[in-house]
Amino acid sequence: METCNKVTVKIFGQEYTIVGETPADQITQVAAYVDEKMREISGGSMGAPLGPLAVLTAVNVADEYFQTQRGAEELKRKNLQLEQDAAKYVQLWEEAKKNFIQYKEQAQASAGQEESAKKQLAAQQNENEALRRQIGKMESEAETMQKKYADLLERLDSQEEAGESSKAELKNLEDKCREIENNFFDLQMENIQLKGELDRYKKIVESE
């Protein structure tokens, strides 16, 4: 059970005994405030009628109370808005961190893909270079065989009689020429495919 306090105070020149569970210093503080308000409303005149003065004082104090209450409600509303805004900003911050982590992971993955594409491009370029050298060699061999074939035809044209060995050599040269032409055609087709892949890898690297 709380202690009951009994305090004697003076309000507008008169003494009053106030009993309550409110702490004594708080009762004294409230009485002093009421006394101050009554003196303020009376204009400092102690001869003002006490009844109307008390009513006016009560009205003024009540008005201050309601203003204070409205101010407290406004502060609560602002505090609630601040809490909601803070929660929203925290959510935005968490989303920003999440997006940053995703962007970082995507950037790392893109860097890995770019490195892989560069390696494939380098390998494709090496393979393409080797193929060009092989094509050059085949072209040189084909040119040599064509010259031999042309020389043999000239010899056959200049000689009315050709031995079976010459015919066999001619057929052998013709077969080799066809084989070289076929190989040369295959190499050209492979070179076209390699060029297409090389262009595709270049576009991948440039897009990164």
Side-chain angles (χ1 to χ4, degrees), residues 146-162 166 170 173:
Q146 287 175 351
K147 288 180 178 180
K148 289 183 178 181
Y149 182 65
D151 292 341
L152 185 56
L153 286 177
E154 290 178 359
R155 288 170 56 192
L156 288 175
D157 290 338
S158 62
Q159 296 178 0
E160 295 180 356
E161 296 180 356
S166 296
L170 177 61
L173 287 173

Side-chain angles (χ1 to χ4, degrees), residues 51-70:
L53 181 60
V55 172
L56 288 175
T57 302
V59 170
N60 275 269
V61 171
D63 181 59
E64 290 179 356
Y65 167 75
F66 285 116
Q67 287 182 5
T68 303
Q69 190 177 42
R70 286 193 294 271

Side-chain angles (χ1 to χ4, degrees), residues 19-206:
V19 180
E21 297 177 353
T22 305
D25 57 345
Q26 186 174 341
I27 294 174
T28 302
Q29 184 179 5
V30 171
Y33 181 75
V34 173
D35 179 68
E36 180 184 354
K37 294 298 294 184
M38 291 181 73
R39 292 177 185 275
E40 180 183 330
I41 292 172
S42 68
S45 174
M46 299 298 293
L50 188 59
L53 181 60
V55 172
L56 288 175
T57 302
V59 170
N60 275 269
V61 171
D63 181 59
E64 290 179 356
Y65 167 75
F66 285 116
Q67 287 182 5
T68 303
Q69 190 177 42
R70 286 193 294 271
E73 292 296 330
E74 181 65 17
L75 288 176
K76 287 182 181 180
R77 186 190 66 78
K78 289 181 178 180
N79 184 58
L80 178 61
Q81 184 64 44
L82 287 174
E83 290 179 352
Q84 292 175 348
D85 291 342
K88 181 179 179 181
Y89 292 142
V90 169
Q91 182 180 1
L92 292 174
W93 170 248
E94 293 297 330
E95 291 178 356
K97 288 197 298 184
K98 183 179 179 182
N99 292 335
F100 175 75
I101 293 173
Q102 291 178 349
Y103 171 77
K104 186 177 180 181
E105 292 175 350
Q106 290 174 355
Q108 291 175 347
S110 297
Q113 292 176 355
E114 181 180 357
E115 186 64 25
S116 177
K118 286 181 178 179
K119 290 180 180 179
Q120 292 178 354
L121 176 61
Q124 197 68 43
Q125 288 175 335
N126 292 334
E127 185 176 354
N128 196 37
E129 182 63 26
L131 181 61
R132 282 198 294 267
R133 289 195 296 267
Q134 187 175 359
I135 290 175
K137 182 179 179 181
M138 294 294 293
E139 289 176 344
S140 178
E141 292 179 356
E143 185 178 355
T144 301
M145 293 299 295
Q146 287 175 351
K147 288 180 178 180
K148 289 183 178 181
Y149 182 65
D151 292 341
L152 185 56
L153 286 177
E154 290 178 359
R155 288 170 56 192
L156 288 175
D157 290 338
S158 62
Q159 296 178 0
E160 295 180 356
E161 296 180 356
E164 291 298 327
S165 60
S166 296
K167 292 181 180 180
E169 184 179 357
L170 177 61
K171 187 177 184 306
N172 186 34
L173 287 173
E174 289 176 345
D175 292 339
K176 286 185 178 180
C177 285
R178 281 193 295 269
E179 182 180 356
I180 289 173
E181 289 175 354
N182 291 333
N183 291 336
F184 181 69
F185 177 76
D186 292 338
L187 286 173
Q188 285 182 324
M189 294 301 295
E190 185 178 353
N191 186 39
I192 292 173
Q193 293 177 354
L194 287 174
K195 284 182 178 179
E197 293 181 5
L198 183 62
D199 291 339
R200 183 169 61 86
Y201 286 129
K202 284 182 178 179
K203 290 180 179 179
I204 292 175
V205 172
E206 291 174 355

